[in-house]
Structure formats: structure tokens, C-alpha cells
Amino acid sequence: MRLLPPALCSSPGRAWLGGVTPGLSVKAPMEMGSSSTEKFYRIPEGKGPHSVGCTDLMTENAVEGSFLRLYYPSCNATDNEEAPWIPDKEYYQGLSDFLNMYRVVGERLFQYYVGSVTCPAKSNAAFKPGEKYPLLVFSHGLGAFRTIYSAICIEMASQGFIVAAVEHRDESASATYYCKKRSISERQEESTSNMEKEWIYYRKLKTGEEERCLRHKQVQQRAQECIKALNLILKINSGEEVMNVLNSNFDWNSLKDSVDTSRIAVMGHSFGGATVIESLSKEIRFRCGIALDAWMLPVGDDIYQNSVQQPLLFINSEKFQWADNILKMKKLSSNDTNKKMITIKGSVHQSFPDFTFVSGGIIGRFFKLKGEIDPNEAIDISNHASLAFLQKHLSLKKDFDKWDSLVDGIGPNVIPGTNIDLSPAELE
């Protein structure tokens, strides 16, 4: 087994996707010392009343287009297969780059261990009509991509949200792509589609490059991509024809008049948490935001000057945060009762992405994919607090208010505010 490079193990100032390693498995042997019986690990299904479908949408034959995975309440789709979790081998290559592994090694290891993993949402299942659903735009973390927060997105969809999980093209994803038309000569040589994928991989910092400058530039692009995704879904909702350059048998016309356009929120993890803040400052149609273990370095200084008026919930892990980062959150939320912060006890930065669910206990803790808390309990706390917050600030007529206490940090394995000692930092 290959150990992580030291730079990836646990630097508090960096919002890593995390210790993604060859120890991941959807069908992994039980831990050492136990019998050889196989134990199965699986991304959790949604717990709400709706079945969940998902489909991918890409517009325009250019990098400027939108790319997202849509999770949505679906009709029961017994004939539809579950969606692949990581849909292309190039994502394994991108993860290998991000983790400083040789591509040929990383691709084989990822393919072997997680190549068969699916997410519990039916691919291209028929959309469930009959009501207007609130819309949630989701932003992934550094080194991640649109598919690996499926546990969160599926839960939200099962509870009656349409979720647009954006794949960012700012070179912060491990890998992403856009489709471009093949040349005439290429089309003649190959009897395949006239489209081909142009891949964009994670950009590492250059020698001597100042990270904050790069990340601030990226977070501004990310916010624009979130707003672009919002505009795209609302365009579809209005009945306007949208061309999906990806092959899909999903009926996008079924989404017409399905979005509650007065109830829209934005959510994200780590670098995606910073993207939430930037998006709120730029787009008033986002009525509130949820930042999961936010990495505050990319947030511009101007944002702290009362430019985020909407309610905002910070849900932090116990092990990732540090004083300077927390103080920036507090600076943003001071004297505003609609801005809340809670911390999930025993959790780590990787308690939010899906990798925590497809790794065994010893492997997961060694590579910091799991904390001391059970991953399912941690994600339930996060999801329940999010739903209660969304009900309050989107004025939803649901029963999510039964989890209101979590938003105040009251309950098992959750505390209000932070576990970080801020007194030395505040004196600086």
C-alpha cells in the first residue's frame, strides 16, 4: 500500500479533497484480526420519501459551458441501473496527479478498488412531476468533482430538492472535461461520434506562486459557474429548449414548471464552502447558503464588508479547522443571528465526501477518511442540520424543524460554534 505524500496528510491551511488512497473498496476484506468474511461498504441511500434519479448535463461545445450532475425526485425506476460513481478513467488519472501518484499505478488501483462502485440514484430515471421543488446548487472541494458528494446530494433529493452538483472548470477539480467537435479528417478516420472529450486536469501551484492569489481567482470563476448553473436550470424550468451535448435519454422537458423559483440555496464543501460565500455575495437569488468545513483562504477581503446578507450555516468538522480560518468565519457572521456555526464531534474533513463510506475502518482512519464518529452518523447530523436550516430560511412546509436544535449545536455529537481555542489568535 502506498502512503500519502507528507504534503497531503494533514495541512490545516489546505482544503484537500483528502487522503484518497488505494485502501478504498466497495467490497473490502474486514479489518485485520477478524475472519476473512467480506464486508461490504456502500454509499448510503436517501432517507426521504422520494426515490432519486440522476443525470448529467453539459451545454455548449466549449469550456465556457455548464457541466453538472442533477439529482432529483424520481418515479420508481426498477428498470434503471444505479449511476456509476466515478464515470471515466480520466478521473482516476486526475486523482493520481492530485495525490502525486504515477498515473499508470493510480488508474489501476482506483479501477480495481472503486471501479464497480455505484451511487444509490437511478441513472436517467423519469422525473417525478406534480409539485414545485426547491433548488440547491452544490459546489465540490479542491481535487474533487461533481459525483463524489452523492450521499449528501441524494439525501437532499430524497427529501424533495432538485440538486445541481456543478463540476468546476477552474483547474481545481482533479479532472473535468468539455466536448468539442472532431475535425472532418478525424470523423473519417473513426466511425464514432463527431464529439470528443477535451480533458482539464488539476493545476498544481507553480514554484514561488502565491496560493491566495490563485485560489481567489478560482473562487470567482467557481461562483460564476454556480450562477450559470442556476440560470440553466431556471431556463429549463421556463420551458426553454436546452441542448445537452452528452448522450442521454433523460427528458429535460419534464422539468418544466418543476422548480420553486423563490426557494433557491447554495451549498458546498471546503473550497466549495468558500464558493458558497462568494456566490451569496454575487447572487441574491440564493436565499441562503450552507458551507461544509469551509476553507476561507480564497474568500476576498471585500466579502467581509457586509456583502453577504443572506443566512449562512457553517458546519465544521472537529479535526480540520484552525484558529485563523474560524476567525474569518466569525468575521463574516458577527452580530448576525441568521449566520450560524456548529461543529460535529469526532468528524474529519473527509466526513463529507463519499470516500468515507467506501473505505474500511482501519484504512479509513489511517488515511483520515474517517473520524472517530461513525460516518453515517456524521453525515446524518450534517444533513439534518442542513434541512432544518433550509426549512427556516426557504420557508418550506416540511417537518425538518424537528432538527432545529442541531442548528444551535444542541444534540449528540454536535456543539455550537467551534472546538478551536481562539484566544491566542484573537490577541494577535
Side-chain angles (χ1 to χ4, degrees):
M1 181 178 298
R2 184 182 183 282
L3 295 179
L4 284 178
L8 292 180
C9 285
S10 171
S11 172
R14 300 296 296 273
W16 302 115
L17 159 65
V20 185
T21 73
L24 301 174
S25 180
V26 70
K27 191 175 78 172
M30 293 183 73
E31 310 303 351
M32 291 180 293
S34 66
S35 71
S36 60
T37 306
E38 288 185 326
K39 179 178 178 181
F40 292 85
Y41 300 101
R42 179 167 169 79
I43 297 166
E45 297 180 3
K47 297 178 173 65
H50 299 282
S51 298
V52 177
C54 70
T55 191
D56 290 328
L57 174 61
M58 183 185 294
T59 63
E60 303 175 31
N61 306 325
V63 70
E64 293 80 19
S66 287
F67 189 18
L68 57 87
R69 174 161 286 190
L70 196 77
Y71 299 85
Y72 52 88
S74 71
C75 301
N76 290 329
T78 53
D79 294 336
N80 294 64
E81 294 183 352
E82 290 190 346
W85 183 47
I86 299 180
D88 294 279
K89 66 180 176 61
E90 285 82 0
Y91 289 106
Y92 303 140
Q93 296 172 0
L95 286 168
S96 301
D97 292 348
F98 184 73
L99 296 172
N100 295 324
M101 298 170 66
Y102 289 115
R103 279 189 176 187
V104 65
V105 175
E107 183 181 337
R108 288 178 181 175
L109 288 170
F110 281 115
Q111 179 63 50
Y112 178 78
Y113 282 105
V114 299
S116 62
V117 176
T118 59
C119 69
K122 295 299 182 72
S123 182
N124 296 318
F127 180 76
K128 185 178 181 180
E131 62 178 290
K132 287 183 179 290
Y133 302 103
L135 174 63
L136 187 61
V137 176
F138 192 94
S139 173
H140 65 72
L142 190 72
F145 37 92
R146 73 189 186 285
T147 67
I148 63 171
Y149 293 89
S150 65
I152 294 172
C153 296
I154 288 170
E155 175 61 16
M156 295 295 140
S158 80
Q159 298 287 357
F161 286 81
I162 293 173
V163 184
V166 177
E167 188 157 290
H168 293 295
R169 289 169 169 167
D170 62 331
E171 298 180 299
S172 69
S174 282
T176 186
Y177 67 92
Y178 62 95
C179 291
K180 68 175 186 178
K181 290 184 178 179
R182 296 181 189 272
S183 67
I184 295 174
S185 59
E186 287 175 317
R187 275 181 260 174
Q188 289 173 342
E189 291 171 11
E190 304 176 31
S191 58
T192 56
S193 167
N194 67 339
M195 305 295 290
E196 64 177 339
K197 294 177 180 178
E198 184 75 15
W199 285 89
I200 304 167
Y201 291 100
Y202 175 75
R203 174 163 111 61
K204 296 182 179 181
L205 283 173
K206 299 171 183 174
T207 304
E209 186 175 15
E210 204 265 309
E211 181 167 27
R212 190 170 186 272
C213 181
L214 171 63
R215 302 308 180 201
H216 180 56
K217 181 180 179 182
Q218 288 176 319
V219 80
Q220 292 178 80
Q221 178 176 333
R222 286 166 143 260
Q224 290 302 327
E225 289 171 338
C226 287
I227 295 166
K228 193 179 295 184
L230 166 60
N231 290 334
L232 178 60
I233 299 303
L234 293 184
K235 185 183 292 186
I236 294 169
N237 180 67
S238 70
E240 193 170 331
E241 193 75 26
V242 170
M243 178 62 68
N244 186 7
V245 300
L246 303 176
N247 291 324
S248 169
N249 59 5
F250 182 74
D251 180 12
W252 288 97
N253 293 322
S254 64
L255 265 66
K256 183 180 178 182
D257 296 326
S258 65
V259 177
D260 187 336
T261 57
S262 67
R263 293 181 168 94
I264 299 168
V266 60
M267 185 179 194
H269 172 244
S270 194
F271 202 172
T275 308
V276 166
I277 294 165
E278 195 78 25
S279 299
L280 289 172
S281 74
K282 287 180 163 57
E283 181 52 74
I284 197 65
R285 288 176 296 175
F286 290 125
R287 284 182 53 182
C288 62
I290 299 169
L292 308 172
D293 231 8
W295 181 39
M296 300 297 287
L297 177 75
V299 177
D301 292 336
D302 57 311
I303 301 296
Y304 296 98
Q305 309 303 318
N306 298 316
S307 61
V308 177
Q309 304 297 322
Q310 303 97 312
L312 176 60
L313 174 61
F314 291 104
I315 302 179
N316 293 336
S317 70
E318 182 179 355
K319 304 298 185 182
F320 174 72
Q321 293 297 334
W322 64 103
D324 184 60
N325 209 53
I326 293 290
L327 287 174
K328 288 178 179 177
M329 295 180 194
K330 285 183 166 289
K331 184 178 180 182
L332 194 69
S333 59
S334 61
N335 303 318
D336 187 344
T337 57
N338 286 325
K339 292 185 172 66
K340 300 275 191 177
M341 183 193 301
I342 61 172
T343 299
I344 301 173
K345 293 165 66 176
S347 61
V348 294
H349 198 50
Q350 299 314 309
S351 294
F352 301 95
D354 295 335
F355 286 106
T356 190
F357 301 109
V358 294
S359 59
I362 292 174
I363 293 291
R365 281 190 290 274
F366 183 81
F367 290 106
K368 301 186 179 179
L369 300 174
K370 294 181 188 286
E372 296 161 6
I373 189 173
D374 178 86
N376 289 281
E377 184 178 357
I379 208 70
D380 280 349
I381 291 171
S382 178
N383 286 337
H384 292 165
S386 298
L387 288 166
F389 186 80
L390 290 167
Q391 168 153 327
K392 179 178 180 180
H393 297 292
L394 297 182
S395 305
L396 302 176
K397 293 178 173 61
K398 302 282 188 177
D399 64 348
F400 305 150
D401 54 350
K402 63 189 174 186
W403 297 308
D404 277 351
S405 61
L406 291 176
V407 181
D408 293 318
I410 300 169
N413 292 314
V414 64
I415 61 171
T418 182
N419 60 304
I420 302 296
D421 180 10
L422 300 177
S423 51
E426 287 176 321
L427 291 173
E428 290 179 3

